[in-house]
Amino acid sequence: MDVASWIESHFLTCTFKELSGYDCLGCGLQRSLVCLLRGDLYGSVRYYPPLFFLISYFIVLLIFVSSKSIVSSFFLRQSTYTLLVIVILSYIFKGVFFGLAN
């Protein structure tokens, strides 16, 4: 069993979506990751557009933790704010053009 199939068979459920019927800010992340691991870039972006920004952010975070001299705390803070804005804008875009409830 490959990694994508294993992730797909162990999907977590979204409590927010179960209770409200609406997507949360992270809904689609797991499906997007599976699509990315299978090489489906279009599907990955369609399910969760900020995934590539999120992956980039975690790479910057790992560099910061391993060597603080390469990445400054200011840059990490600005990256955090930028990622937050991208996730929120993506959520709004998804809600406006595709409806919040899937």
Side-chain angles (χ1 to χ4, degrees):
M1 178 181 283
D2 63 344
V3 176
S5 297
W6 186 87
I7 292 172
E8 197 171 29
S9 65
H10 291 87
F11 272 170
L12 301 172
T13 58
C14 179
T15 306
F16 181 81
K17 187 168 184 166
E18 283 183 5
L19 294 175
S20 68
Y22 296 104
D23 286 352
C24 71
L25 290 174
C27 278
L29 178 64
Q30 296 175 105
R31 289 172 286 178
S32 177
L33 183 60
V34 167
C35 286
L36 182 64
L37 290 173
R38 290 188 173 144
D40 181 10
L41 295 178
Y42 174 75
S44 180
V45 171
R46 188 173 49 109
Y47 280 122
Y48 194 72
L51 179 66
F52 295 103
F53 297 103
L54 190 63
I55 291 170
S56 301
Y57 176 77
F58 279 113
I59 291 170
V60 168
L61 186 62
L62 285 172
I63 293 170
F64 176 77
V65 168
S66 65
S67 175
K68 294 183 193 256
S69 62
I70 296 175
V71 176
S72 69
S73 60
F74 174 77
F75 181 75
L76 184 64
R77 190 176 322 112
Q78 295 303 318
S79 298
T80 304
Y81 296 145
T82 303
L83 178 64
L84 184 62
V85 167
I86 289 170
V87 168
I88 291 171
L89 288 176
S90 171
Y91 182 74
I92 292 169
F93 180 81
K94 185 177 173 182
V96 168
F97 291 103
F98 302 109
L100 288 175
N102 287 338

